[in-house]
Amino acid sequence: MAKPIIFSGIQPSGRLMLGNYLGALKNWVNLQKDYDCLYCLVDLHAITLPQDPKELRERSYEGLAVYLAAGIDPAKNILFLQSHAPQHAELGWMLTCHTYMGELSRMTQYKDKSAKQKNIGVGLFTYPSLMAADILLYQTNLVPVGQDQKQHLELARDLAQRMNNLYGPLFKVPEVYIPPVGAKIMSLQAPTAKMSKSDPDPNATVFLSDGDKEIEKKLKRAVTDSGSEIVFAPDDEEKAGVTNLISIQAAITGRKPDEIVASYAGKQYGHLKVDTAEIVVQCIKPVREKYQALLDDKGELDRILARGAEAARERAETTLAKVKDALGFVARH
Ligand code: TRP
């Protein structure tokens, strides 16, 4: 029996950090056994906000290098750039024409992002239709997305159903994929907020590119609380800092939080921080080293992207040809 298809899109914008790695990437490495996975670096989505071309290109390579370094195998998964498969833009347009203004106006991410822009590109508004195209082109069964993308995925489902009702069965209706262990990693400086790559406080976030010394420094400065009790209490804001350090250890080592807490009986926050730093250093070091080696070999990255694009285009074209025919476009002979 064919494996279920998973599709996920990742914006090639900015550096990846520990939260991405423990929250999503590690899961994806496990998925490759049981699912047929496509991971798309969504450069067409990236330009919905102003981009520096040089940086966009560099970050696209960096994005690919991080996924490979984390253990995503290009022989088992399809890794590709969105702009290398023109079917995304084509189906994106067709779906844009079937999306209602009201649906897009309700998107909370649009409201947030547009509030921060002076000139708002139309693409920022129609972006969810393009995201639906990404997913529907591959007859995707499951889409691993965070809370912030659920509304967009809901639109993709609605569009699949709408198109199927109008034109006959064209698309699989995708479901959201909820990962089995979603480690939620919080800021080291304000541990009630999620760790974020765009945090203005440089000590709040551990990046996958950080050196050992830098990681140690950041973890030693991690905010805890004025008490001295080492507990795992996800619902207690006061204990958010300590809980976060335990979560980080648990996500990396696979040990149970309670077991980790028990091992700190009679110990202080200092011990917890030093140990967590050591565990994070050991976790990130091999990823960083592999990542750097990959980035030094752009030729190999280009070859991987070419293979990914070829596989993606072939699949995408099968769906797109059906859609064009159903919509009444004359076939090109
Ligand atoms: N919108 C997603 C984000 O900002 C990225 C994305 C684009 C995506 N296309 C997708 C995610 C398709 C899942 C499936 O993070």
Side-chain angles (χ1 to χ4, degrees), residues 92-103:
W93 173 252
M94 294 166 208
L95 294 182
T96 299
C97 294
H98 289 81
T99 310
Y100 308 135
M101 294 293 289
E103 289 176 314

Side-chain angles (χ1 to χ4, degrees), residues 228-231 260-272:
S228 61
E229 221 194 331
I230 297 179
V231 291
I260 299 169
V261 168
S263 73
Y264 284 101
K267 294 198 179 158
Q268 280 141 20
Y269 288 171
H271 296 116
L272 175 64

Side-chain angles (χ1 to χ4, degrees), residues 210-285:
D210 284 347
D212 296 351
K213 286 276 163 301
E214 202 155 359
I215 296 172
E216 280 165 17
K217 196 186 75 189
K218 288 179 181 179
L219 277 147
K220 281 175 194 161
R221 289 186 185 165
V223 166
T224 46
D225 58 82
S226 56
S228 61
E229 221 194 331
I230 297 179
V231 291
F232 181 74
D235 298 323
D236 184 351
E237 281 201 7
E238 189 55 28
K239 287 288 169 188
V242 173
T243 296
N244 190 34
L245 297 179
I246 303 280
S247 297
I248 292 172
Q249 286 203 17
I252 295 174
T253 63
R255 291 169 76 199
K256 297 248 176 313
D258 291 346
E259 194 187 313
I260 299 169
V261 168
S263 73
Y264 284 101
K267 294 198 179 158
Q268 280 141 20
Y269 288 171
H271 296 116
L272 175 64
K273 289 186 189 180
V274 169
D275 291 349
T276 310
E278 175 64 18
I279 289 168
V280 173
V281 163
Q282 291 311 325
C283 163
I284 288 187
K285 199 193 188 88

Side-chain angles (χ1 to χ4, degrees), residues 118-138:
K118 204 157 87 217
N119 293 311
I120 301 158
V122 176
L124 190 64
F125 185 67
T126 60
Y127 161 124
S129 307
L130 179 61
M131 175 163 160
D134 300 340
I135 297 165
L136 301 184
L137 271 177
Y138 300 97

Side-chain angles (χ1 to χ4, degrees), residues 40-61:
C40 178
L41 290 152
V42 290
D43 48 3
L44 299 177
H45 281 280
I47 63 163
T48 57
L49 291 175
Q51 296 289 334
D52 173 60
K54 225 177 107 212
E55 253 176 56
L56 179 62
R57 190 168 292 121
E58 200 48 42
R59 284 182 169 168
S60 298
Y61 281 120

Side-chain angles (χ1 to χ4, degrees), residues 87-158:
Q87 293 84 359
H88 289 250
E90 285 188 69
L91 182 63
W93 173 252
M94 294 166 208
L95 294 182
T96 299
C97 294
H98 289 81
T99 310
Y100 308 135
M101 294 293 289
E103 289 176 314
L104 295 177
S105 306
R106 282 195 291 278
M107 293 296 170
T108 58
Q109 191 174 63
Y110 171 73
K111 291 186 206 168
D112 291 347
K113 287 192 176 178
S114 59
K116 294 179 196 138
Q117 290 298 116
K118 204 157 87 217
N119 293 311
I120 301 158
V122 176
L124 190 64
F125 185 67
T126 60
Y127 161 124
S129 307
L130 179 61
M131 175 163 160
D134 300 340
I135 297 165
L136 301 184
L137 271 177
Y138 300 97
Q139 306 297 339
T140 301
N141 299 97
L142 297 165
V143 186
V145 287
Q147 196 55 42
D148 63 325
Q149 296 298 321
K150 289 235 173 94
Q151 203 184 16
H152 295 161
L153 184 64
E154 214 34 65
L155 177 74
R157 290 169 50 85
D158 290 346

